[in-house]
């Protein structure tokens, strides 16, 4: 299993650079389940610091979260208190009975499940991934979901990795490394279908910005705390990071940064940063 992002270290600062996006999309999918939303038992797989659980809490009957990082779960417990059942464990092999949940959501997790090229590796030479861990997780989600329930997963397509984040253009090789770990949209659809899900919706989120208000900081890539807001930065080599920092410093000094951000924003607005899938059991 991949460990390229160190969530034990990043958990303290995670919430300063991440917000939950697409909560309405998740709720709309859950609301199409015959059981009233206010009575549904919902699981978030890979719940991190609990930002989605916190946003979903007022709308559903009860909530559970699972994550394998104790650091992230400590933050989630601080935010949610005793009102949400949080467990530490891998989403590839969950200690829940079959058909335990009316709905399951999983947000920005599946690019962490596979091995892939590290900052030292050439992504073009990397062997194709068969996404065995993603497949295993999706089969687990199917197992623990009740018939008729919704599985709502948000994941970033390869095109969104490249053009849904302005700074991705500064570190294209790291973006290519990350893409090796992630099924693209058609592959993900295939994995969901093979596991037994009917695909009810595939919708890019064109408005949401995962990094929240700090996203368009023109000096952002110069700050380690800002870069910690997205694990792609941990896949840059020292030379690639130096190059990105020099470009940012130069564009800010020359006064060309705003025009660059405007061009990059046009692309993000056309494709969004992430895509929501709703699979129905
Ligand atoms: C980018 S964070 C997303 C957290 C949260 N879903 C959110 O959107 O704010 C990815 C999370 O997935 C968790 N994770 C990665 N692989 C996991 C696995 N195999 N089992 C459980 N949690 C995992 C990490 O610990 C981390 O908290």
């Amino acid at each position: 299993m991949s460990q390229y992002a160190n969530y034990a270290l990043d958990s303290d600062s995670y919430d300063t650079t991440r917000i939950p996006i697409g909560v309405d999309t998740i709720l709309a999918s859950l609301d199409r389940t015959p059981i009233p939303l206010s009575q549904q038992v919902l699981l978030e797989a890979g719940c991190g610091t609990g930002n989605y659980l916190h946003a979903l809490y007022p709308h559903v009957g009860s909530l559970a979260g699972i994550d394998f990082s104790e650091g992230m779960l400590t933050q989630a417990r601080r935010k949610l208190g005793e009102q949400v059942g949080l467990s530490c464990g891998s989403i590839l092999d969950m200690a829940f009975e079959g058909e335990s949940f009316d709905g399951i959501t999983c947000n920005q997790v599946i690019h962490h499940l596979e091995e892939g090229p590290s900052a030292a590796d050439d992504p073009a030479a990397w062997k194709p991934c068969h996404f065995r861990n993603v497949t295993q997780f999706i089969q687990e989600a199917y197992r623990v979901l009740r018939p008729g329930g919704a599985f709502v997963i948000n994941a970033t397509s390869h095109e969104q990795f490249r053009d849904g984040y302005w700074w991705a253009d500064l570190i294209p090789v790291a973006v290519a490394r990350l893409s090796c770990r992630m099924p693209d949209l058609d592959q993900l659809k295939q994995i969901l279908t093979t596991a037994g899900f009917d695909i009810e919706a595939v919708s890019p989120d064109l408005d949401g910005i995962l990094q929240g208000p700090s996203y368009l900081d023109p000096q952002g890539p110069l700050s380690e705390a800002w870069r910690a807001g997205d694990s792609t930065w941990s896949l840059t080599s020292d030379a690639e990071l130096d190059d990105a920092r020099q470009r940012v410093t130069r564009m800010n000094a020359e006064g060309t940064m705003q025009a660059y951000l405007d061009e990059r924003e046009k692309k993000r607005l056309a494709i969004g940063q992430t895509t929501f899938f709703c699979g129905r059991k």
Side-chain angles (χ1 to χ4, degrees), residues 1 7 14 44 46 48 52 67-69 72 89-91 107-108:
M1 194 184 315
Y7 284 110
Y14 186 83
E44 187 185 3
Y52 276 92
D67 199 287
F68 70 4
S69 162
M72 298 296 264
S90 172
I91 61 171
N107 301 288
Q108 292 297 308

Side-chain angles (χ1 to χ4, degrees), residues 79-201:
K79 194 173 293 151
L80 300 161
E82 298 300 310
Q83 61 202 4
V84 174
L86 295 171
S87 42
C88 189
S90 172
I91 61 171
L92 302 190
D93 186 13
M94 297 189 276
F96 301 118
E97 297 285 319
E99 303 187 1
S100 295
F101 299 99
D102 301 304
I104 301 176
T105 183
C106 177
N107 301 288
Q108 292 297 308
V109 174
I110 60 172
H111 54 289
H112 293 286
L113 299 183
E114 305 291 345
E115 292 300 331
S118 71
D121 296 320
D122 173 4
W126 195 256
K127 55 192 180 312
C129 181
H130 298 292
F131 302 112
R132 292 200 172 92
N133 290 341
V134 174
T135 301
Q136 185 176 334
F137 161 57
I138 288 174
Q139 288 168 344
E140 268 293 86
Y142 191 86
R143 180 183 70 77
V144 301
L145 187 63
R146 294 190 182 126
F151 174 45
V152 190
I153 179 164
N154 108 50
T156 298
S157 72
H158 290 193
E159 184 188 24
Q160 287 171 326
F161 275 140
R162 282 193 301 273
D163 280 332
Y165 301 79
W166 71 265
W167 42 262
D169 179 58
L170 302 171
I171 50 169
V173 184
V175 170
R177 290 186 185 109
L178 185 59
S179 297
C180 293
R181 299 165 182 264
M182 179 66 194
D184 210 351
L185 298 187
D186 283 347
Q187 291 168 301
L188 188 50
K189 270 193 226 168
Q190 184 63 52
I191 295 169
L192 285 161
T193 307
T194 305
F197 287 106
D198 289 331
I199 299 193
E200 197 172 85

Side-chain angles (χ1 to χ4, degrees), residues 3-269:
Q3 302 269 336
Y4 75 92
N6 188 345
Y7 284 110
L9 291 178
D10 294 343
S11 54
D12 285 347
S13 59
Y14 186 83
D15 287 357
T16 60
T17 53
R18 283 302 269 267
I19 59 167
I21 67 171
V23 172
D24 288 349
T25 305
I26 298 172
L27 288 170
S29 297
L30 297 172
D31 211 15
R32 291 193 291 271
T33 303
I35 300 165
L37 196 51
S38 61
Q39 292 171 22
Q40 289 188 31
V41 181
L42 180 69
L43 171 71
E44 187 185 3
C47 61
T49 62
N51 288 337
Y52 276 92
L53 292 172
H54 189 256
L56 293 164
Y57 179 73
H59 304 279
V60 300
S62 69
L63 278 170
I66 177 169
D67 199 287
F68 70 4
S69 162
E70 263 302 345
M72 298 296 264
L73 288 172
T74 299
Q75 300 297 328
R77 279 188 203 101
R78 266 185 209 142
K79 194 173 293 151
L80 300 161
E82 298 300 310
Q83 61 202 4
V84 174
L86 295 171
S87 42
C88 189
S90 172
I91 61 171
L92 302 190
D93 186 13
M94 297 189 276
F96 301 118
E97 297 285 319
E99 303 187 1
S100 295
F101 299 99
D102 301 304
I104 301 176
T105 183
C106 177
N107 301 288
Q108 292 297 308
V109 174
I110 60 172
H111 54 289
H112 293 286
L113 299 183
E114 305 291 345
E115 292 300 331
S118 71
D121 296 320
D122 173 4
W126 195 256
K127 55 192 180 312
C129 181
H130 298 292
F131 302 112
R132 292 200 172 92
N133 290 341
V134 174
T135 301
Q136 185 176 334
F137 161 57
I138 288 174
Q139 288 168 344
E140 268 293 86
Y142 191 86
R143 180 183 70 77
V144 301
L145 187 63
R146 294 190 182 126
F151 174 45
V152 190
I153 179 164
N154 108 50
T156 298
S157 72
H158 290 193
E159 184 188 24
Q160 287 171 326
F161 275 140
R162 282 193 301 273
D163 280 332
Y165 301 79
W166 71 265
W167 42 262
D169 179 58
L170 302 171
I171 50 169
V173 184
V175 170
R177 290 186 185 109
L178 185 59
S179 297
C180 293
R181 299 165 182 264
M182 179 66 194
D184 210 351
L185 298 187
D186 283 347
Q187 291 168 301
L188 188 50
K189 270 193 226 168
Q190 184 63 52
I191 295 169
L192 285 161
T193 307
T194 305
F197 287 106
D198 289 331
I199 299 193
E200 197 172 85
V202 179
S203 32
D205 185 320
L206 298 181
D207 305 318
I209 296 179
L210 282 162
Q211 256 174 292
S214 67
Y215 172 66
L216 283 173
D217 180 350
Q219 309 271 359
L222 305 180
S223 148
E224 194 175 345
W226 188 93
R227 294 195 306 271
D230 194 293
S231 54
T232 317
W233 287 95
S234 67
L235 291 173
T236 52
S237 68
D238 290 348
E240 289 157 7
L241 183 55
D242 276 352
D243 191 51
R245 283 195 291 224
Q246 279 170 28
R247 273 182 78 188
V248 168
T249 304
R250 192 170 57 245
M251 284 192 282
N252 278 301
E254 289 172 351
T256 54
M257 183 52 119
Q258 194 52 53
Y260 176 74
L261 287 174
D262 291 347
E263 277 308 304
R264 294 293 297 161
E265 274 294 86
K266 277 188 207 158
K267 294 187 187 245
R268 179 188 67 77
L269 287 163

